[in-house]
Amino acid sequence: MSAATAPSQETAKPTACLVLADGTIFYGHGFGATGITTAELCFNTAMTGYQEIMTDPSYAGQVVTFTFPHVGNVGVNPEDDETTNPVAAGMVVKWDPTEPSNWRSTERLVDWLAKTGRIGIGGVDTRRLTRAIRQQGAPHVAIAHDPDGNFDIELLIAEARGFSGLEGLDLAKEVTCAESYKWDEMRWAWPDGYPKLDKPRHKVVALDFGAKRNILRCLASAGCDVIVLPATATAEEVLAHNPDGVFLSNGPGDPAATGEYAVPMIKTILDTTDLPVFGICLGHQMLALALGARTIKMNHGHHGANHPVKDNDTGKVEITSMNHGFAVDAASLPEGVLETHVSLFDGSNCGIRMETRPVFSVQYHPEASPGPMDSYYLFERFSDAMDARA
């Protein structure tokens, strides 16, 4: 949106507001669904991919502030969904969403949000809001959209303060698949879209803690015949498929809470088999828990598509996509488990591997391709480990 249109936005009657638990209020212009929702507030620094971000199951329980001001300009389309519908609780943007101008667009962002029950607010000072998140930690918020502009601020403050937060919260059960299914769709390629895998080399069981479709596509592109199981699957159910490898997906919430049932499953697989294991994001954190490490809640987390990560084994730096509010405490890694990757922003842990076995994981999202191919080698490493075991 051009600067010339900004004053009219700023003087328009507020039809939405964002209320922080400390009583801070941001007014703006509502779009998408109407009503009230509560969540944790985070910010994302990516310049592209707002549809993928909103449909990433890892954002369950969170409202996303987009630091890039122009949102909506490429519309939405079914091919870019990471899951069936938006999972993030809502979005906050600087300017109201623009009209789509892209040949792949099939729907306006605002219509898509309204149809799927997600609230948006535009006209917000996102720089100020981002500074508040960085300085004070990810706040609990209530976001409200009323076309008539009527807001009960005391109620909204109470709603924000009543939000339980993500610590201790198991959200994987809310976003996982209801039953198992097979996946054979590979990465998007011009001009045909998503081709099908016709000659798989490996059978992989993927535990769905909130898996993104593009992760499954990358596994298929690496030659994996993927069987997706719900988050609550037992080790016996995993091994009944006689897999060549096990994948632990991304997902939302507190890894310690999801780990109540997932960690025993992972431990059994590690203790009773020599299968290669690969984890991403929440899967990384729960693998670390299964190996004896700890996880911690971060101040404001890492959310964006421009995070530099150093590979300790090679010295190379990868530009990565991240979305996590919890992290593995590197100081708690036991003997025999190596730290393979670190964030160059704050030194936090971004990867681990067992010293003597093909068991490894990363905190970032190699399938999101911000590099764009900096991290795809991880899928090939997983495939190579299965080749070596065959």
Side-chain angles (χ1 to χ4, degrees):
M1 182 166 293
S2 68
T5 63
S8 63
Q9 284 197 6
E10 293 171 0
T11 57
K13 180 182 179 181
T15 55
C17 67
L18 178 73
V19 176
L20 279 57
D22 66 2
T24 304
I25 306 169
F26 291 82
Y27 288 100
H29 316 113
F31 55 89
T34 58
I36 300 172
T37 192
T38 57
E40 179 182 277
L41 183 68
C42 66
F43 66 86
N44 189 297
T45 57
M47 296 176 66
T48 60
Y50 56 80
Q51 181 181 345
E52 291 89 338
I53 290 166
M54 291 297 293
T55 55
D56 180 351
S58 296
Y59 278 106
Q62 294 179 299
V63 167
V64 183
T65 300
F66 289 85
T67 61
F68 187 68
H70 303 292
V71 172
N73 51 339
V74 296
V76 297
N77 70 83
E79 285 191 333
D80 289 346
D81 286 341
E82 291 290 0
T83 191
T84 304
N85 288 309
V87 180
M91 63 160 46
V92 183
V93 295
K94 173 64 176 177
W95 301 123
D96 295 346
T98 52
E99 290 297 308
S101 179
N102 185 276
W103 66 274
R104 297 178 67 236
S105 174
T106 60
E107 194 172 7
R108 299 167 69 235
L109 172 64
V110 293
D111 297 333
W112 180 68
L113 291 172
K115 180 178 68 177
T116 53
R118 293 298 184 266
I119 297 174
I121 177 173
V124 172
D125 185 347
T126 51
R127 284 192 176 187
R128 178 189 167 200
L129 190 56
T130 299
R131 284 197 301 269
I133 296 170
R134 287 180 59 88
Q135 294 167 3
Q136 303 167 24
H140 298 172
V141 301
I143 183 171
H145 175 200
D146 179 359
D148 295 325
N150 299 317
F151 305 108
D152 185 338
I153 298 301
E154 293 303 317
L155 171 64
L156 293 173
I157 293 174
E159 291 277 352
R161 291 175 178 172
F163 179 65
S164 64
L166 300 186
E167 285 191 83
L169 198 59
D170 172 27
L171 290 174
K173 286 181 180 177
E174 296 185 13
V175 298
T176 189
C177 56
E179 56 186 25
S180 64
Y181 62 94
K182 294 191 67 173
W183 186 276
D184 62 358
E185 187 178 271
M186 298 192 295
R187 292 183 297 167
W188 195 90
W190 172 267
D192 299 321
Y194 297 113
K196 300 289 186 180
L197 174 66
D198 56 4
K199 295 181 180 179
R201 302 200 317 274
H202 314 293
K203 181 187 290 186
V204 169
V205 168
L207 279 302
D208 176 15
F209 303 112
K212 295 170 65 178
R213 290 174 177 171
N214 218 36
I215 290 178
L216 303 180
R217 293 183 185 115
C218 286
L219 288 170
S221 292
C224 301
D225 179 16
V226 183
I227 302 166
V228 184
L229 297 187
T232 54
T234 65
E236 291 73 22
E237 290 169 330
V238 171
L239 297 177
H241 291 277
N242 193 28
D244 300 313
V246 175
F247 175 75
L248 310 172
S249 87
N250 64 294
D254 189 336
T258 303
E260 291 289 331
Y261 53 87
V263 165
M265 174 272 295
I266 299 169
K267 282 184 175 179
T268 299
I269 290 171
L270 294 176
D271 292 343
T272 61
T273 78
D274 64 348
L275 291 173
V277 177
F278 175 28
I280 288 175
C281 200
L282 182 63
H284 160 71
Q285 296 159 1
M286 288 191 297
L287 176 61
L289 290 173
L291 292 171
R294 296 188 303 271
T295 56
I296 54 177
K297 183 76 165 70
M298 303 177 77
N299 179 63
H300 56 273
H302 288 167
H303 309 276
N306 54 355
H307 287 249
V309 168
K310 181 179 179 181
D311 184 332
N312 289 335
D313 292 335
T314 64
K316 292 183 178 180
V317 176
E318 304 166 37
I319 299 303
T320 72
S321 176
M322 289 193 180
N323 170 27
H324 60 101
F326 293 82
V328 173
D329 181 1
S332 71
L333 292 174
E335 185 176 353
V337 179
L338 304 180
E339 181 175 53
T340 58
H341 298 77
V342 294
S343 166
L344 294 185
F345 279 160
D346 60 10
S348 60
N349 174 265
C350 288
I352 61 172
R353 67 175 171 88
M354 292 187 70
E355 198 166 4
T356 59
R357 293 176 55 182
V359 174
F360 62 98
S361 58
V362 291
Q363 182 62 78
Y364 52 94
H365 283 268
E367 85 292 340
S369 305
M373 299 298 291
D374 293 14
S375 306
Y376 184 73
Y377 71 90
L378 292 162
F379 295 98
E380 295 171 333
R381 177 181 293 174
F382 185 44
S383 180
D384 291 344
M386 290 184 283
D387 280 333
R389 181 178 175 272

